[in-house]
Amino acid sequence: MKHSVLMLALAGSLVTTAAQADTLLGLYIGADGWRTSTDGSFANDEQLQQFNFNDKTQSSYYVALEHPLPLLPNLRLQHNQLETNGVTALNASFSFAGETFAVDTDIANQVDLTNTDYVLYYEILDNDLLSLDLGINAKHINGSVAVADLGADGAVAVQDTSTVIPMLYSSAIVGLPLTGLELFANGSFVSYDGSRVYDMQAGVAYALLDNLAVDLRLKLGYRAVNLRLDDIDNLYADLDFKGAFAGVELHF
């Protein structure tokens, strides 16, 4: 009897989950252009040095696969360019990656924390009015931070970093009936051991095409990324990237 009840409960769970899953395979391909302003600091210890950064246009592109199998998560892969540079006049001596830079030195500073998101998620809700996804994200940061003396000394210091940061992922879309417009928000977040990382965006999308063969959406929104790193590969940082973005998404 207990065995039968357990089997019925499991079957009911599978049916309920299946009702929420995609009935057909769905492939999403998208790309964004993101104009960022950057503020922040970095060092090899907790005494962070503030730097000046130039505005820059970043690129981001992704592919996502949704399927009808109820117990297996959907997959999203997203590559995010995250680069900036600038020139800073040091107001104190600064040691980094084995080099020491004297006070009042003009140094070129460069940050490349380009990363890839590996997201596994489930569709909790999926209809024309509301879509909600929840999952986990493994954000692989693979880059470097560098400074160089612009004077006669010419010293260069480079700190490489490669790490995977586990994060929570969520995405929500609210449809606006009879308009072709959608409001969307998605992102990833984690905070642990003095580090905090978030990557959030929100905006509006317009369905330029919507038929059985392909959907085409144009997107406009605002994105904010914060990297507060506490001794990640001997790198301490508190960097904010934020600004407006525009993009396009195809759904097959």
Side-chain angles (χ1 to χ4, degrees):
M1 181 64 178
K2 291 182 178 179
H3 179 72
S4 298
V5 171
L6 179 61
M7 292 300 293
L8 288 173
L10 179 58
S13 175
L14 290 177
V15 170
T16 301
T17 307
Q20 297 174 343
D22 268 356
T23 56
L24 295 172
L25 287 175
L27 178 65
Y28 296 81
I29 300 174
D32 299 332
W34 177 33
R35 185 64 177 176
T36 60
S37 62
T38 307
D39 298 300
S41 52
F42 60 81
N44 283 142
D45 55 36
E46 295 179 347
Q47 303 301 312
L48 301 182
Q49 169 66 45
Q50 189 76 26
F51 291 95
N52 300 321
F53 297 103
N54 300 320
D55 293 350
K56 183 177 177 63
T57 299
Q58 319 275 358
S59 63
S60 180
Y61 48 90
Y62 59 89
V63 58
L65 178 64
E66 296 184 350
H67 56 78
L69 303 176
L71 296 182
L72 294 180
N74 301 301
L75 174 65
R76 178 185 176 98
L77 303 178
Q78 179 164 330
H79 186 72
N80 308 292
Q81 179 189 13
L82 205 60
E83 302 176 358
T84 188
N85 55 45
V87 175
T88 302
L90 293 178
N91 55 16
S93 61
F94 176 61
S95 296
F96 188 71
E99 297 285 346
T100 298
F101 303 86
V103 63
D104 294 328
T105 299
D106 289 332
I107 62 172
N109 43 270
Q110 181 173 351
V111 170
D112 180 359
L113 294 176
T114 295
N115 57 86
T116 302
D117 295 320
Y118 300 89
V119 181
L120 299 176
Y121 68 95
Y122 290 95
E123 292 185 288
I124 307 303
L125 294 171
D126 184 19
N127 57 63
D128 292 338
L129 293 179
L130 179 62
S131 174
L132 177 63
D133 300 336
L134 296 176
I136 56 174
N137 176 16
K139 181 180 282 290
H140 181 207
I141 299 175
N142 186 23
S144 62
V145 177
V147 293
D149 190 339
L150 295 178
D153 181 83
V156 177
V158 180
Q159 179 72 55
D160 295 321
T161 183
S162 180
T163 188
V164 176
I165 299 176
M167 308 176 71
L168 297 177
Y169 170 83
S170 64
S171 174
I173 300 175
V174 178
L176 303 179
L178 305 178
T179 66
L181 297 174
E182 295 175 338
L183 302 179
F184 66 87
N186 63 64
S188 300
F189 174 85
V190 73
S191 179
Y192 66 96
D193 292 340
S195 294
R196 184 189 69 188
V197 178
Y198 64 73
D199 186 347
M200 307 288 189
Q201 62 176 256
V204 60
Y206 176 70
L208 189 63
L209 290 176
D210 187 0
N211 56 54
L212 292 177
V214 62
D215 298 337
L216 173 63
R217 298 165 70 234
L218 304 180
K219 302 185 299 176
L220 183 66
Y222 189 86
R223 184 176 180 182
V225 173
N226 173 255
L227 300 174
R228 183 185 296 173
L229 307 178
D230 185 73
D231 196 13
I232 303 296
D233 285 342
N234 201 35
L235 176 65
Y236 294 76
D238 190 358
L239 296 164
D240 284 296
F241 301 81
K242 54 190 176 182
F245 73 91
V248 60
E249 180 183 87
L250 292 171
H251 175 207
F252 300 94

